Amino acid sequence: MFGWFGKKNKPTQSAAKPAGNRKVGLDDASVPEAVVAYAIGDIHGRADLLEQKLTKILADPVKEGQKKTIIYLGDLVDRGLKSRQVIDLILNHEDQGIDQVWLMGNHEEFMVRFLDDAPNSLEWLTYGGAETLLSYNVSVAAGAFNAEKAIKVSEDLNAAMQAAGHDRFFTRFRDSFELGDYLFVHAGIDPERQIAGQGPEILRWIREPFLSFSGALPKVVVHGHTVTEEPTVRNHRIGLDTGAYYSNKLTCLRLEGRDYRFV
């Protein structure tokens, strides 16, 4: 577990949305007093690691009147072998008195494309989709993989998702979520454009110029998508993708008032 290295001993204040051209940095950013937020990086089918984090979050003490909110930063599925179980875990925590928000990552986008147009979306299978199919017990017939087989597989996956109640899960994906002075997205934003109106192709896919940007932004951006060995902490962004599916390290950021730490 990562220790404290966030802001301490500073007065907690209610967070208001930045107005006009105001910029905010990590030293000044805060979330509303009534909320303790937990942002979880790319899970990629590692239900075992997610279960450990959720256990810690449930046990984490908060003040009277505070509500816990979990924000999943996308890429819940693919690569790891238990994508279906990841979604089950999230849905099973809907009645735990915790607010949950899940963002669509590029891998969920791959999956939705395959469900909608399998013959033209076969690249998903090479980016971790094959492992997701296995988690739903969807098999691929032997031999050359043609359009007819692709359609059959997508139909079988859709049926398995409906049987598991996961079709409703996919209708609740969001592209971004704002809380106080923080903006949560999967990949990042274009720092040269206004935040409002940035579309899915940016929020789910961007790397540059976002990663090399070093200035200030209207919100501190919390994101995943780009793997680093340790969480990336900059004045304007916090990156949480630590490659869980192969590193065995799933990162969770805890935000309370003007303090942050990793749990």
Side-chain angles (χ1 to χ4, degrees), residues 44-73:
H44 277 305
R46 289 299 302 269
D48 55 333
L49 300 180
L50 176 59
E51 187 168 21
Q52 294 169 15
K53 291 298 182 186
L54 291 174
T55 298
K56 289 183 177 181
I57 290 171
L58 285 173
D60 186 39
V62 297
K63 300 171 185 175
E64 184 177 355
Q66 287 183 320
K67 186 74 175 288
K68 296 177 180 179
T69 296
I70 302 175
I71 305 104
Y72 302 91
L73 296 180

Side-chain angles (χ1 to χ4, degrees), residues 114 133 138-140 145 149-157:
F114 183 81
L133 291 176
V138 174
S139 61
V140 179
F145 200 83
K149 286 185 179 180
I151 292 171
K152 177 63 166 59
V153 169
S154 69
E155 290 174 345
D156 290 346
L157 176 59

